[in-house]
Amino acid sequence: MSTTTVEAQTVTADNIIRLFPEVNTSLADSHRVPNNNDDLTGYDEEQIRLMEEVCIVLDENDNPIGSASKKVCHLMKNIDQGLLHRAFSVFLFDTENRLLMQQRAPEKITFPDMWTNTCCSHPLGIPGETGAELSAAIQGVQRAAQRKLDQELGIKAKQVPLEKFRFLTRIHYKAPSDGKWGEHEVDYILFIKADVAIDPNPNEVQDTRYVSENELKSMFDDDKLKFTPWFKLICQSMLFEWWEHLDHGLETYTGETQIRRMLN
């Protein structure tokens, strides 16, 4: 897994607002990406449109500062100066305790074609998905997870009710996708156990599969397969221990308040 090592400033509200005038200190519904934006030339039209969505900009302690477009938040030139946003990663297991995985579509601007957990995305700077206190932030990412499971995989909200999502912890990590794009996130880890019907959106997902623990380990041994950096971090550190306690003892691991720093 490739990572960047950069001398970054402390991620504080004052530093972020000074460095990034694009950050709106009041949360907004959208940040229009100009049609002639060179950073997005040649990418899929729908994925360009999604770059207008607003991410929640944070300080390093997960306190919201404001909002900025998905495009602004995912440019490595901004990430390397400390721009940080909120995200979530859903791990959905069926009643046989198999994990539903997805392979990201080739149209994706960041980390195309890579295998990852069930759904990975961002709560938006909109009512219902924001939150400053941890309890409110968890509720926001649960709503965002429900929204994105439908948008990416066709999983309807009634199959994944909000009260079934279990929050485990947050990880703070940074990783490049290529020379231009990357991630710098405080990522909320959500588990849910449900049997669901899926209808993947081909603009988001090119393949899906259910895997056991051993099947996932075998996938990691296949050099032809590529995995998202956040998924690899979670697998290498915590996933398999959590998975073993999915039916008995998972509550020992839920509701962690301290952010796990996974920065190289």
Side-chain angles (χ1 to χ4, degrees), residues 65-246:
I65 296 170
S67 62
S69 72
K70 186 176 173 184
K71 174 204 165 234
V72 167
C73 288
H74 288 82
L75 283 168
M76 279 306 302
K77 64 184 180 183
N78 296 336
I79 289 170
D80 284 340
Q81 295 183 80
L83 193 59
L84 174 67
H85 63 276
R86 186 174 288 167
F88 65 84
S89 289
V90 173
F91 292 75
L92 185 149
F93 301 86
D94 66 8
T95 50
E96 296 179 35
N97 286 355
R98 298 178 303 168
L99 172 65
L100 176 60
M101 296 182 62
Q102 66 156 281
Q103 185 182 21
R104 292 163 68 88
E107 290 85 356
K108 297 288 284 185
I109 293 173
T110 58
F111 307 99
D113 299 310
M114 293 189 184
W115 283 94
T116 195
N117 49 286
T118 313
C119 180
C120 337
S121 191
H122 314 92
L124 302 181
I126 59 176
E129 295 191 10
T130 61
E133 299 299 324
L134 181 58
S135 59
I138 292 169
Q139 292 176 353
V141 297
Q142 289 171 335
R143 294 186 186 102
Q146 196 178 62
R147 169 177 58 80
K148 287 298 289 187
L149 283 166
D150 188 2
Q151 190 261 331
E152 292 189 4
L153 291 160
I155 298 172
K156 301 306 177 187
K158 65 182 180 180
Q159 297 183 297
V160 284
L162 294 176
E163 64 271 14
K164 277 198 163 188
F165 286 100
R166 304 183 75 178
F167 165 71
L168 280 83
T169 190
R170 294 169 287 176
I171 65 169
H172 177 192
Y173 78 96
K174 179 170 70 171
S177 175
D178 53 26
K180 182 184 290 185
W181 306 101
E183 290 286 10
H184 186 206
E185 300 180 327
V186 172
D187 189 12
Y188 284 59
I189 312 304
L190 301 175
F191 272 26
I192 186 167
K193 189 169 180 179
D195 287 326
V196 297
I198 64 172
D199 182 19
N201 175 354
N203 191 255
E204 294 283 341
V205 177
Q206 64 175 297
D207 198 4
T208 61
R209 65 174 69 169
Y210 281 96
V211 296
S212 67
E213 293 176 68
N214 287 334
E215 287 168 338
L216 177 55
K217 290 174 182 176
S218 295
M219 288 178 69
F220 280 121
D221 291 333
D222 187 342
D223 293 337
K224 297 188 297 294
L225 302 179
K226 296 185 182 300
F227 299 88
T228 60
W230 61 87
F231 183 60
K232 288 195 289 186
L233 281 171
I234 295 165
C235 289
Q236 290 165 356
S237 59
M238 302 169 286
L239 177 63
F240 293 105
E241 183 175 351
W242 290 338
W243 204 334
E244 289 175 6
H245 293 86
L246 189 59

